[in-house]
Amino acid sequence: MSQALKNEQDLKWVGTRPLRPDGVDKVTGRAKFGADMYVPGMLVGKVLRSPHPHAVIKSIDTSKAEALPGVRAVVARDDFQDMPSEFVPAGEMLVNYKDIVRNVMARDKALYDGHAVAAVAATSAAIARKALKLIEVDYEVLPHVIDVVEAMAPDAPVLDETLFTAGVDPAPDKPSNVAKVVELGLGDVDKGFKAADVVIEREFDTNPVHQGYIEPHACVASFSEDGQAELWCTTQGHYVVRSHCAKLLGMEVSKLRVTSSEIGGGFGGKTVVYLEPVALALSKKANSPVKMVMNRDEVFRASGPTSGANMMIKVGAKKDGTITAAEATLKYQAGAFQGSPVQPGAMCAFAPYDLENVKVTGYDVVVNRPKVAAYRAPGAPISEYAVECVLDEVAEEIGMDPIDFRLKNAAKEGTHAAYGPKFGPIGLVETLKQAKKSKHYKAKLGPNQGRGMASGFWFNIGGETCATLNINEDGTVTLLTGTPDIGGSRASVCMMAAEELGIDYDKIRPIIADTSSLGYTFLTGGSRTTFSSGMAAVQAAQGAIEELCARAAKIWEIDVDAVEWEDGHAKPAGKNAGDFEPLSLADIARQAGKTGGPIAGHADINAQGAAPSFGTHVVDVEVDKETGRVTIVRYTVLQDAGKAVHPAYVEGQFQGGAVQGIGWALNEEYVYGEDGTLENPGFLDYRIPVASDVPMIDTVIVEVPNPRHPYGVRGIGETPIIPPMAAIANAIQDAIGIRFHELPMSPPKVLKAIEAANGGGE
Amino acid sequence: MDEMRYETPESLEDAVALLAAAKGETKILAGGTDLLVQLRAEMIEPELVVDVKRIPGMLDITEEDGGFRIGAATPSAEIDEHAGVKKLWPGVVEAAELIGSVQIQGRASIGGNLCNASPAADSVPAMIVAAAVATVVGPDGSREVPVEDIATGPGETSLAKGEIVASIFLPARPAHSGDAYLRFIPRTEMDIAVVGAGISLTLDDDGTCTDAKVCLGAVAERAILVEDGAKALIGTKVDDDALENLAAAASAAARPIDDKRGTKEFRTHVAGVLARRAAKIALDRAKGN
Amino acid sequence: MAKHHVTTTINGDPYEFLCEAEETLLDVLRDGLQLTGSKEGCASGDCGACSVMLDGRLVCACLVLGAEVEGREVETIESMADGEQLHPLQQKFLEHAALQCGICTPGFLVAAKALLEKNPDPTETEVRYWLAGNLCRCTGYDKIIRAVMDAAVDMRGS
């Protein structure tokens, strides 16, 4: 569908900052999140997890647990049907049911510290905990591997004897930990490097980081004796949860109704299932509702972080700043099952630039760590971090300002991206130009301070989306969408519907519908919610308007073509149509019963036309040379939003993404011991930024409208996490003249490098 | 099954009797900021938890002989708000203030910080350089124990079965003296000290250091007094050379381990840096008196 | 072992409840009394999502035993608004879009209220350090800090 974009001056709601419709419930504590549901007769479910990173599960004896008074059900591997290997989309990633069932409940092997091995449902948490201790699991501990490079070595312990590398010719005859090799490119990189005046090649390592949502996974499942079930859970996509659970439990989809609670953060990590199928299985066995809530330790040990990686990046450029060739080798940890985001990582690596010669090779590698889940622009922050660091070094080598260097090579409308498409109108150049002329970029730096910048790219997606817009008898509107609201999207979707209908924003009440009340809607992910649910809401509104006009025509007894909708009213279209007082939406709604029944609009679409968002970040850091501490002194995010429907929530996404990136850059990492167990599964030692760690995050919203969205919207949620790591690394280089090639740049590493540079150290 | 008992005695005698009579593991609950975490993680499964906060004096700060007696369960926030203690031993108050967030401050006590016996406990090096003395009450009566003799190793103390730290006495401070405590953490808040350094020093009338105490946290199995660090300061004007010697002595005394919070070499180096920086603050304070 | 019978005051109302010795105040508030505004993010005092006032002191409800609140006064997010009238902090959080997912919001509000009662005119740095015990993963803190500073201005003015 294409439609002319609305003129800026005609917009009444889009671009303003109204209060969010769910706001009061969230500041009073009334909003119900995953763990806030209590139902009569509810049991407490808890999971027994493997203490070993890699072990054969020889036997599981649950008899003592089952005999404990108060225990109502115990489940383990035999309670879940095995699944054939089949890939299905989940967020921006693919999942395989053979792997999902094994991740939800270990079968032949435990593949990471924290892997679920059995679960119980009991009448109290204390009894459930005691029951877990009575389950006897006989493990045969195997050698483990958690490092991606080590996992690729020929003598590495193999996690899955049935895993043969895909994407190589000839097909391998031996299993390995390399699940897949992906390649993409343009032109001839060898030729390109020969044409370069400067070639820089560097190796990078990053550590897995966790999404770190404050709300742990939680659900309540209630399986009825008639085979129907209800599930309440915190998720980014309850339809996806329904699909997965129905598949894993062998249910018809219509028999499972999933309601999404308010969601306490997800960032990609709540796009898959962990507890939900287990709670359903326990509930079915116990014939009672079962509530399951992870504790923080379980969240870190058993839910998906994103990949750690090892990368080689090589970039060649001419003295005038033209990049002649770019090459990347990306090795991403997938965790215990295949499916790292190396594919999007490979596609994004050089996407911000207009290049002739590109080659990217990616490896998807299984290791004895929790299966990775999507994390905000999955894969992209890792590869783009490494690329943006090398670009900074190339710019320095040829003596060019890093922004000018990027401007020289920046992708623009018509650029053929190495991963395939030609870009439409995009805003990278605008973000770079505004960064260059910003006060921040020109400000004077203090002692031990440095400034860095980096850019970032993310695709954004559309996808299957439904909306129903019910016109109520008093002229108010109820808007049903199926994308869980993770950060204010109900407001932005309502604003677009209000704009379309020509009524006040607060006359529309939005509801996130359950899976039985609205058609299949893909999850909140890929920065698609404001784009796709907004598009669906607009189309539903247009459908309702059509019907409102038809009713007005009926009341006036004129032809429907002679009625037009303007500013919330049906009006005769021109003088020839007749002389009638305009009818407001409320006027028509009041008479709906007499004119043909209730009025509603629906949209059931596969939203097309998602457009990428580019951003540029500028950061100042100060380095304490005696302790290696890096302090973020000043930070500016500049990003193309297409059109910022609710600018406050756009700024919030920019700021939140930047601070997650600051954490990734400086302190966040999974720390494993020699024994392959996670040593920091808590917020004490998995150090996400606290309020006193960061300054205000300045934002500049660039608006290059997406011509394929009725209001010009681009997804904006993911791009902001991409540039920070490189921008900070580049700023540290500017401050102390040392380039870091490893994340996080934590004080011990920074101090060690400073000492080494001073010729000291131990 | 052996369920945990929770008791709230209203006198030290009753508390001691409860602890002494218990057969299994016992724990004292003051602020609970360590204890409850350990309970929830099932690291400990005590038979008896004795909440000492209803015992008179446990939450009080009283002036005594020019110093202050602080009830062992007094939350850090109360100490922070006590103008007298803050004026007398600012380093101790700063250290107590560093124990966790404001929420933790509302509960965490210096008695608990001491008896939890973490090598990284923030208030302990500061109390040690302040020459603080713990009053320990047990089945055999009461004894006075220098704070440095309470912890013996990670999670281990010299307290006998049934013994409770009832209060901590911060003595009067000599004229022309100052104290300070600094720690290093990766973030600005909410972390456990990777290194901590407490310093107290006394000057004579012309600014020569006559007495000093240097104590490091998180670089050994417990907080350690660095005699050579004190020697590096005593007899000097605490000039740059003396401070460098202090730093070297502190680094030399550190015997840390590699763990998730820091490396050996990092801790060793930063121990010197923090000792030097803390000494400068203590010196300024001493001069200001 | 018998449960503890606890008589206490929560949000100004008298309450009686039974709890096991190991149960925390947060367990009691949520599972027992279904005052679910206080959230459990970590159960170890590291995230501040369960911030409540206990006898006028800001604490994490996950680090207090239920049995400890015998005879004490507890205030939770549920009593922050005065009837239909939101507290200025609640209003400013809405106006500044200081929440995205909202799971940390009750804890931030309770903690910020405690700050402004103690220090009606805090600097940005003071606000940041006071709120360092409350983790937010969505906002990057910017709008939260602005909302608190703005509420402080309002509250000083009234």
Side-chain angles (χ1 to χ4, degrees), chain A residues 17-47:
Chain A
R17 300 175 182 235
L19 302 191
R20 60 196 287 170
D22 54 321
V24 171
D25 281 359
K26 286 187 174 151
V27 297
T28 55
R30 191 173 283 108
K32 275 193 173 336
F33 289 84
D36 297 339
M37 176 60 102
Y38 293 81
V39 301
M42 189 175 83
L43 305 174
V44 178
K46 294 212 174 282
V47 176

Side-chain angles (χ1 to χ4, degrees), chain A residues 20 23 27 35-36 38 210-211 214 263-265 296 375 648 651-653 655-656 660 668 689 691 694-697, chain C residues 30-31 36-37 39-41 77 90 94 97 99-103 109 128-129 132 135 137-143:
Chain A
R20 60 196 287 170
V27 297
D36 297 339
Y38 293 81
H210 196 275
Q211 297 82 353
I214 307 301
I263 170 172
R296 182 53 53 182
Y375 180 22
E651 292 161 4
Q653 290 294 321
Q655 292 163 337
Q660 287 186 340
E668 292 181 33
V694 289
M696 292 297 186
I697 308 293
Chain C
R30 291 181 53 81
D31 298 341
T36 56
K39 306 299 179 187
E40 180 171 314
I77 183 66
Q90 292 173 311
L94 293 178
L99 52 141
Q100 286 178 29
C101 80
I103 192 84
L109 287 166
R128 286 188 180 277
Y129 274 87
L135 297 181
R137 191 58 158 172
C138 294
T139 65
Y141 303 105
D142 185 299
K143 293 184 188 302

Side-chain angles (χ1 to χ4, degrees), chain B residues 155-226:
Chain B
E156 304 287 328
T157 68
S158 58
L159 299 177
K161 185 174 168 66
E163 282 191 324
I164 299 172
V165 171
S167 65
I168 289 163
F169 178 65
L170 294 173
R173 200 178 58 177
H176 306 302
S177 66
D179 74 325
Y181 174 80
L182 291 176
R183 67 167 182 188
F184 184 86
I185 54 171
R187 291 181 291 191
T188 52
E189 271 285 357
M190 300 306 288
D191 293 331
I192 303 290
V194 179
V195 184
I199 304 271
S200 78
L201 51 81
T202 306
L203 307 175
D204 64 14
D205 287 341
D206 38 290
T208 303
C209 178
T210 58
D211 191 18
K213 280 197 164 66
V214 178
C215 185
L216 299 175
V219 295
E221 71 289 348
R222 61 190 180 117
I224 52 169
L225 271 165
V226 184

